Amino acid sequence: KGFRAGYARKVGGLGPDTESTTYKEKLSKAKRMNAYAQKLRDQHKMSEFPKRVVKPKPQPPSKATVAMQYAKSIPPPKPTKPRRNRTESCGSEGNQQDPASLKEEILEERVRRHFIHKRMIADLEKL
């Protein structure tokens, strides 16, 4: 039984009867439909229909361009005043002094500070 059931399914039919008039009519009708469809396709290719123009969508600016625009809008930083050097604070400004006199001035300033601090400590001890 199993062999007969599987065999019948695989074999199939005998195919169309190519000599019958109904088959020939259907075949000629299908050929005419295909020829007409091909004719229409050719006509549409030849005709000049206005083609749709696809407008590009405006894209948002990239992060890099946004950052560049922001950087351009910020005012530049104001220049800071140059700091005074120790040598300028001890001596006269703008004049170049020799190292020996500069050392003497620094030494005198330190001696003066030393005596000031010594007096302050003596005042604190009195209290």
Side-chain angles (χ1 to χ4, degrees):
K1 290 182 180 180
F3 175 75
R4 288 183 188 165
Y7 181 75
R9 268 188 253 142
K10 290 182 183 177
V11 171
L14 298 175
D17 183 15
T18 56
E19 300 298 321
S20 70
T21 57
T22 58
Y23 176 76
K24 289 181 181 177
E25 288 174 2
K26 287 181 183 179
L27 192 61
S28 66
K29 184 178 178 181
K31 284 183 182 178
R32 281 185 281 137
M33 283 176 26
N34 285 339
Y36 182 70
Q38 186 62 40
K39 182 181 170 185
L40 284 179
R41 275 190 228 111
D42 292 341
Q43 284 178 358
H44 286 292
K45 284 181 184 176
M46 297 288 211
S47 67
E48 301 206 8
F49 286 116
K51 294 185 178 182
R52 265 203 265 171
V53 178
V54 178
K55 294 181 182 178
K57 295 180 181 178
Q59 295 181 351
S62 68
K63 290 183 179 181
T65 56
V66 170
M68 289 297 291
Q69 290 172 354
Y70 177 72
K72 288 178 183 176
S73 67
I74 295 176
K78 295 178 183 176
T80 59
K81 294 180 182 177
R83 293 185 178 185
R84 292 175 50 190
N85 290 341
R86 213 176 229 195
T87 56
E88 291 176 0
S89 64
C90 294
S92 60
E93 294 179 8
N95 295 337
Q96 293 291 337
Q97 297 178 346
D98 60 347
S101 65
L102 190 59
K103 286 182 181 180
E104 288 176 16
E105 286 181 16
I106 292 173
L107 182 62
E108 289 172 4
E109 175 69 25
R110 288 184 179 168
V111 168
R112 190 179 62 80
R113 282 188 196 162
H114 173 69
F115 285 119
I116 291 171
H117 288 176
K118 211 173 186 181
R119 268 190 247 135
M120 290 171 66
I121 292 171
D123 292 341
L124 287 174
E125 287 178 353
K126 287 180 186 178
L127 295 174

